[in-house]
Amino acid sequence: MGVDASGNKDEGAGDQGIMFGFACTETDALMPAPIHYSHEILRRMAQARHAGSAKGLGPDSKSQVTLRYENGKPVKATSVVVSTQHDADLSQEQVHALVLPFIRDTLPEGWLDDDTVYYINPTGRFVIGGPDGDCGLTGRKIIVDTYGGAAPHGGGAFSGKDPTKVDRSAAYAARWVAKNIVAAGLADKCTIQVSYAIGVSHPLSIFIETYGTGRVDEARLSSVIGEMVDLSPRGIRTRLALSNPIYARTSAYGHFGRTPDATGGFTWEKLDLVDDLKSAFA
């Protein structure tokens, strides 16, 4: 009854909960560098595999990049982990030789040196992959789907949920708002926390943290966002066009830091609030 939208009633949130959005200036995608480059390594490996230039590699793979920060900025990769499925006749030395170029071509110049440690298939052979090797439904991995642990997560998975569930829609909206705040130059790093009650349409609270990088008052920024953006489930779903069949493409490489596409995917990555935010704080 709380989420019913019949008769154009004020549609309530599908559950109680706290959702987070995050953005920072570490990469052009305004994403934390470790998760951004982890996804990019795997994306390049998949492209090469589909093109036939990485023969022997299988589709099941994952990566993890550990960076050293100085004065809040990433400056060096201390370790890189890549585990990838491969053909049974490949030796571990051959797998290493296939994978290393993707790491070196992906990370920025100067981030890799003789002290960087590479863990490529650290358990050894990885021939059986996918659901044959590791089955079970967990709602997908909520940290690799978001910010790689660089920002808080409310705990709710995205995949498998329709956009009336604020676990998904409000997390998308929070990323959209945080990204626009950073892109507008109002902060270099921004976390937004939005809380909901089941059956209640509008957020109970909007909290913004800019970690000392903000150029405007955080309390006023929260107030402006509350007035500028409709963060009700209906408002989010309508503004970001979340009722469209756009979710299959989120099944790999994360839900955030992606490029909005012509068919309506990743609308929450658009920078369509920047001008309004700049005007509000001119």
Side-chain angles (χ1 to χ4, degrees), residues 15-40:
D15 204 350
Q16 71 181 51
I18 300 172
M19 269 48 75
F20 293 90
F22 181 79
C24 63
T25 56
E26 292 181 14
T27 63
D28 291 341
L30 302 184
M31 287 287 287
I35 191 71
H36 174 80
Y37 290 112
S38 294
H39 287 318
E40 186 60 26

Side-chain angles (χ1 to χ4, degrees), residues 24-78:
C24 63
T25 56
E26 292 181 14
T27 63
D28 291 341
L30 302 184
M31 287 287 287
I35 191 71
H36 174 80
Y37 290 112
S38 294
H39 287 318
E40 186 60 26
I41 290 169
L42 298 185
R43 186 182 290 109
R44 294 188 183 204
M45 288 172 57
Q47 290 171 346
R49 185 170 53 81
H50 288 301
S53 58
K55 295 184 182 300
L57 296 184
D60 192 350
S61 60
K62 57 185 177 180
S63 66
Q64 181 171 288
V65 176
T66 303
L67 301 180
R68 174 178 296 150
Y69 283 70
E70 294 180 1
N71 300 317
K73 301 293 183 183
V75 296
K76 179 185 183 303
T78 59

Side-chain angles (χ1 to χ4, degrees), residues 1 7 18 21 23 31 58 61 77-78 97 118 127 142 158 194 212 237 272:
M1 291 187 294
I18 300 172
M31 287 287 287
S61 60
T78 59
Y118 301 94
V127 175
I142 59 176
F158 301 159
V194 188
R237 193 172 73 250
D272 49 359

Side-chain angles (χ1 to χ4, degrees), residues 105-192:
D105 292 344
T106 299
L107 293 180
E109 186 176 356
W111 280 22
L112 299 172
D113 59 24
D114 292 341
D115 294 327
T116 303
V117 181
Y118 301 94
Y119 298 95
I120 298 174
N121 283 12
T123 62
R125 287 166 56 84
F126 182 4
V127 175
I128 300 174
D132 284 344
D134 186 6
C135 64
L137 182 63
T138 64
R140 286 189 51 74
K141 305 293 193 294
I142 59 176
I143 296 303
V144 77
D145 275 350
T146 55
Y147 308 104
H153 192 290
F158 301 159
S159 299
K161 295 177 181 176
D162 69 78
T164 68
K165 303 297 186 292
V166 285
D167 282 344
R168 182 170 215 158
S169 57
Y172 288 175
R175 160 63 180 175
W176 170 55
V177 173
K179 183 178 182 182
N180 276 266
I181 288 172
V182 172
L186 303 184
D188 292 333
K189 185 177 180 181
C190 179
T191 291
I192 295 183

Side-chain angles (χ1 to χ4, degrees), residues 181-206:
I181 288 172
V182 172
L186 303 184
D188 292 333
K189 185 177 180 181
C190 179
T191 291
I192 295 183
Q193 179 198 81
V194 188
S195 64
Y196 291 86
I198 188 168
V200 179
S201 61
H202 292 281
L204 306 184
S205 67
I206 301 172

